[in-house]
Amino acid sequence: MPASQARSRARDRNNVLNRAEFLSLNQPLKGNQESRSFSRKQSGQAGAAGAPNSNPKERRQSQQLPEEDCMQLNPSFKGIAFNSLLAIDICMSKRLGVCANRASSWGGARSMINLLGITGHGIPWIAGTLICLVKSSTLAGQEVLMNLLLALLMDIMIVAGLQKLAKRKGPYDVSPGLLDYLTMDTYAFPAGHASRAAMLSKFFLNHLVLAIPLRILLVLWAFCVGFSRVMIGRHHITDVLSGFVFGYLQFRLVELIWMSSNTCQMLISIW
């Protein structure tokens, strides 16, 4: 027995895995379990020591931190899809911003594109509606113009409120103009010019008798006004599309609260 024990000790002594630097490889599970249990003991002692000083809200937040980290490391399918669509929207909007500045590929046409955008601005439309309302002498014309003025004012307030809530910047660092500040159209989502153009085109198509070529030109005008805002780098594609949707919804709202001829005459007399 002593001889066999001496031989086993010599064999263990000559084994490379029994050296100190290889002990972690020889018994990884036991070492990990001991280190984990030791760290848990330390964290438990620290938590017990700091329990009187910490309130329940802080303990609840510390317990939620690992779950929040897991949510960030493993995003949901909806989050991945939304971020992908957002990246595509930004990329396409930057490529279509050919008139964002003078150094762009279509920088020479920037003045013409800005002029096209002014045709969909709220201030010229409100001023023109007021002038036509003063010169109008028919009850039907005054009724249509008063409801058009209501639609324009409502469009400015709704778009300004939505932009203040979203606070989305445009694809390019393009500062708003003076007319944009007057109508509080300083952010990107939704596009105020697009919503106004869609609302006006739908309003005129419903309440004016127009020939087919004029109706087609009216729809093309609304599309060009919205697309011009992408070309100068003020809005994303989704901003313009959402502006078209909000413009149509605003038209439907005006149709629901349409002011009668008597109401319009009463408001005109007060004014």
Side-chain angles (χ1 to χ4, degrees):
M1 290 295 295
S4 60
Q5 290 179 358
R7 285 196 299 269
S8 62
R9 289 177 181 175
R11 193 183 307 112
D12 294 337
R13 197 181 304 111
N14 295 329
N15 192 1
V16 179
L17 295 177
N18 288 331
R19 296 181 181 178
E21 59 269 21
F22 294 107
L23 284 177
S24 59
L25 297 177
N26 192 15
Q27 297 176 350
L29 186 59
K30 183 178 178 181
N32 290 337
Q33 290 178 350
E34 290 178 354
S35 60
R36 288 177 183 175
S37 62
F38 180 72
S39 61
R40 288 175 183 173
K41 289 180 181 178
Q42 283 186 342
S43 61
Q45 292 174 358
N53 298 327
S54 61
N55 52 18
K57 185 177 179 181
E58 293 179 354
R59 290 198 299 269
R60 197 180 306 114
Q61 290 179 354
S62 63
Q63 293 175 358
Q64 292 177 355
L65 284 177
E67 185 177 356
E68 293 176 357
D69 294 339
C70 293
M71 291 298 292
Q72 293 178 359
L73 294 175
N74 301 302
S76 62
F77 175 77
K78 291 182 180 179
I80 295 174
F82 177 77
N83 291 332
S84 301
L85 292 176
L86 187 63
I88 293 173
D89 177 37
I90 295 174
C91 179
M92 293 298 296
S93 301
K94 284 183 175 292
R95 289 195 175 188
L96 292 176
V98 292
C99 301
N101 47 58
R102 293 293 180 181
S104 301
S105 56
W106 289 17
R110 181 176 172 81
S111 300
M112 184 178 64
I113 300 300
N114 278 326
L115 183 61
L116 179 61
I118 292 176
T119 61
H121 205 280
I123 298 298
W125 278 103
I126 291 175
T129 303
L130 289 174
I131 293 173
C132 294
L133 186 61
V134 171
K135 293 185 176 181
S136 178
S137 58
T138 61
L139 295 178
Q142 291 175 356
E143 179 182 352
V144 172
L145 289 171
M146 281 296 296
N147 285 278
L148 178 60
L149 181 62
L150 173 64
L152 291 170
L153 294 175
M154 188 170 57
D155 172 76
I156 290 177
M157 290 187 294
I158 291 176
V159 171
L162 292 173
Q163 287 187 357
K164 290 294 183 181
L165 289 176
K167 292 185 178 181
R168 188 186 188 190
K169 298 292 185 179
Y172 289 91
D173 190 12
V174 179
S175 59
L178 177 61
L179 295 178
D180 296 329
Y181 280 110
L182 291 177
T183 56
M184 296 173 288
D185 187 10
T186 55
Y187 291 100
F189 180 88
H193 290 67
S195 67
R196 198 169 301 112
M199 185 268 296
L200 288 171
S201 61
K202 186 63 178 173
F203 189 93
F204 291 148
L205 289 175
N206 275 46
H207 297 285
L208 294 181
V209 179
L210 301 173
I212 294 179
L214 292 177
R215 297 171 75 89
I216 295 174
L217 287 176
L218 192 60
V219 175
L220 289 177
W221 167 78
F223 175 78
C224 291
V225 168
F227 188 70
S228 67
R229 307 302 290 173
V230 180
M231 294 179 65
I232 65 172
R234 280 280 285 120
H235 296 280
H236 300 86
I237 298 175
T238 53
D239 301 334
V240 174
L241 295 179
S242 62
F244 288 150
V245 174
F246 282 116
Y248 177 77
L249 294 177
Q250 289 167 9
F251 164 76
R252 299 300 301 176
L253 181 60
V254 171
E255 291 292 312
L256 290 175
I257 60 174
W258 184 269
M259 294 185 297
S260 63
S261 179
N262 295 330
T263 305
C264 293
Q265 292 301 314
M266 183 184 65
L267 292 176
I268 291 173
S269 62
I270 294 174
W271 178 41

